[in-house]
């Protein structure tokens, strides 16, 4: 939770979009701490499955700044009253001080009232009834003219019902009334949609999660951001969108040189200009592109000592839809029989545990203090425990959010902050994983075991039905 605010705070209500539920609170917390605006969050309600988060913020300026960055926050209202019934809300509205409501409710300003319910459908007639109740019982408050299309002020009555899969709840758990202040940045999801992206790969990160990752990494104007497993560069696009200079590496020469097999179903060959750079150009962000190098992320000597990044944001290979390989150390490579023949470095399997340890060691060395590492960790859910999260003495876990992919498979988005330099640690040691999730079976083996079990189960169900 962000620091407590000292001046008289204002109460706001943030309405989240209904997706990536585990990431919503963390995204907004990250944005608030990046903006440095003291805020107080009432997190309990969100934990109970509500799409609403009450926030105290110093002023509308900060409230709007938060909404300028969030993709999972849908709308923000100035919170005027809340209760468990519409009548309770109306009676609270009537007690609001004149100075608070006057700027938005005098005869000269138009308004509309929007009614929305969550986890329960109500008829249009019921919505109208609620609006009439508000208008008749709070006549002394809303004095202006009604304008449904372009009002000066939009007021919202929001009802949240506790989700119940068996019976439809009759009474709302919470009713809110607020003045609309700002929308979040849901439009970016359409603007940066992969469907219209010039260059995509098999595992390109979707626009929404790419933006969320950049927010968790607190990417800012003129930051220097790297993705060591860059692929088609989706994470560089979102970082550049927030003003960062971006660079990436990937071991796949063919992919970076537009020679890999196309990822779009109907496309036969890749066009020559399919590149990370052309993706940035597509969005007018080419001036933020530094370079993308064909390089092995396990080999870190190519980076000069003292080189620092503000953020590392990446989606390492899980070995399912793209291979996880690394270059074999030169001294272990077989000698070419034909002296003088072209040398192609040999590759070997890159174990997931090693990928993450290398990544954390890279972050510990090349992030600036306070810089963030944001990365995905694939999880076999039945085996998961906290000690599967890779650790490093210079990095602190800030967030750990789960995106379920099936009942047994998920991936966790881990956000770490660099808190000290390597030399400052009393007994310098590298990254470690207390319990390596993939020591016995690789993620690939666990993944296919889980997938074939699911197929067998569904076949059994089908056979039983027939
Ligand atoms: C999950 S994909 C990244 C997708 C990317 N975020 C995007 O939006 O397109 C992982 C990438 O890691 C690359 N890779 C695998 N082993 C690597 C290594 N040792 N060093 C660098 N990149 C590697 C793969 O070629 C693949 O492009």
């Amino acid at each position: 939770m962000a620091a407590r605010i000292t001046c008289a705070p204002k109460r706001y209500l943030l309405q989240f979009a209904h997706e990536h539920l585990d990431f919503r609170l963390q995204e907004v917390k990250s944005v608030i701490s990046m903006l440095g605006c003291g805020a107080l969050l009432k997190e309990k309600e969100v934990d109970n499955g509500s799409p609403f988060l009450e926030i105290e913020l110093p002023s509308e300026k900060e409230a709007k700044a938060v909404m300028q960055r969030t993709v999972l926050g849908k709308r923000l209202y100035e919170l005027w009253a809340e209760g468990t019934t519409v009548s309770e809300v109306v009676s609270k509205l009537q007690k609001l001080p004149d100075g608070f409501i006057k700027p938005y409710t005098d005869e000269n300003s138009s308004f509309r009232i929007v009614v929305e319910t969550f986890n329960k459908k109500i008829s249009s007639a019921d919505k109208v009834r609620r609006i009439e109740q508000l208008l008749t019982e709070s006549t002394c408050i809303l004095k202006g003219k009604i304008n449904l299309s372009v009002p000066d002020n939009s007021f919202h009555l929001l009802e949240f019902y506790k989700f119940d899969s068996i019976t439809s709840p009759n009474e709302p758990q919470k009713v809110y009334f607020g003045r609309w202040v700002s929308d979040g940045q849901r439009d970016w999801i359409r603007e940066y949609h992969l469907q219209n992206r010039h260059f995509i790969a098999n595992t390109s990160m979707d626009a929404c999660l790419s933006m969320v990752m950049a927010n968790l990494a607190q990417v800012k104007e003129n930051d220097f951001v790297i993705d060591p497993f860059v692929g088609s560069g989706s994470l560089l696009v979102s970082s550049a969108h927030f003003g960062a200079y971006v660079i990436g590496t990937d071991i796949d020469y063919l992919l970076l040189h537009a020679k890999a097999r196309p990822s779009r179903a109907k496309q036969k060959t890749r066009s020559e200009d399919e590149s990370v750079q052309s993706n940035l150009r597509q969005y007018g962000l080419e001036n933020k592109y530094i370079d993308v190098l064909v390089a092995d992320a396990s080999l870190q000597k190519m980076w000069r000592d003292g080189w620092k990044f503000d953020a590392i944001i990446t989606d390492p290979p899980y070995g399912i839809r793209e291979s996880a390989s690394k270059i074999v150390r030169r001294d272990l490579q077989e000698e070419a029989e034909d002296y003088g023949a072209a040398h192609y470095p040999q590759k070997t399997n890159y174990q997931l545990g090693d990928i993450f340890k290398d990544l954390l060691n890279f972050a510990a060395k090349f992030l600036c203090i306070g810089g963030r590492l944001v990365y995905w960790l694939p999880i076999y859910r039945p085996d998961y425990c906290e000690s599967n999260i890779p650790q490093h003495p210079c990095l602190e876990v800030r967030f750990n959010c789960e995106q379920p992919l099936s009942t047994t498979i998920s991936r966790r988005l881990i956000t770490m902050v660099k808190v000290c330099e390597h030399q400052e640690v009393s007994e310098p040691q590298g990254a470690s994983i207390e319990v390596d999730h993939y020591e016995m079976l690789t993620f690939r083996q666990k993944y296919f075991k889980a997938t074939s079990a699911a197929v067998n189960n569904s076949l059994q169900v089908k056979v039983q039905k027939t």
Side-chain angles (χ1 to χ4, degrees), residues 194 197 199-206 210 213 227-236 249-253 255-256 276 279 293-299 313-319 322-327 348 350 355 376 411:
L194 290 179
R197 180 82 46 91
F199 166 45
I200 59 160
N202 295 346
T203 51
S204 294
M205 186 61 62
D206 74 59
S210 299
M213 288 176 78
D227 179 353
F229 301 94
V230 73
S232 63
S234 313
L235 307 178
L236 299 193
T249 60
D250 200 290
I251 202 166
D252 193 339
Y253 174 94
L255 182 73
L256 295 190
V276 174
N279 278 350
L293 314 167
V294 180
D296 179 352
S298 74
L299 302 174
I313 153 171
T314 196
D315 181 22
Y318 320 147
E322 75 296 88
S323 72
S325 55
K326 64 176 181 174
I327 290 167
T348 182
Y350 198 1
I355 293 185
W376 289 99
R411 54 181 182 176

Side-chain angles (χ1 to χ4, degrees), residues 95-111:
K95 288 181 197 135
L96 286 174
D98 255 12
F100 180 79
I101 57 168
K102 233 182 165 157
Y104 315 104
T105 56
D106 68 15
E107 291 89 350
N108 301 322
S109 57
S110 60
F111 74 92

Side-chain angles (χ1 to χ4, degrees), residues 23 26-27 30 212-218 372 374 399 413 415:
F23 298 69
Q26 322 310 345
E27 190 208 26
S30 187
V212 170
M213 288 176 78
N215 272 335
L216 293 177
Q218 300 192 328
R372 292 186 168 208
V374 178
F399 303 121
L413 187 57
T415 303

Side-chain angles (χ1 to χ4, degrees), residues 225-293:
V225 175
I226 184 167
D227 179 353
F229 301 94
V230 73
S232 63
S234 313
L235 307 178
L236 299 193
V237 168
S238 59
S239 299
H241 169 89
F242 291 123
Y245 290 96
V246 293
I247 188 167
T249 60
D250 200 290
I251 202 166
D252 193 339
Y253 174 94
L254 297 178
L255 182 73
L256 295 190
H257 287 86
K259 290 179 169 39
R261 277 179 51 188
S263 302
R264 289 196 161 91
K266 286 185 185 151
Q267 196 180 337
K268 291 231 160 56
T269 50
R270 286 200 183 264
S271 68
E272 258 177 40
D273 66 339
E274 283 189 50
S275 65
V276 174
Q277 186 168 12
S278 69
N279 278 350
L280 286 154
R281 189 179 308 128
Q282 177 182 357
Y283 302 114
L285 299 169
E286 200 178 357
N287 61 337
K288 296 292 176 185
Y289 176 81
I290 297 178
D291 210 348
V292 161
L293 314 167

Side-chain angles (χ1 to χ4, degrees), residues 389-408:
I389 307 296
Q391 306 166 21
H392 192 288
C394 300
L395 304 167
E396 257 176 35
V397 175
R398 206 40 61 92
F399 303 121
N400 173 353
C401 316
E402 186 184 29
Q403 182 193 21
L405 301 172
S406 72
T407 46
T408 44

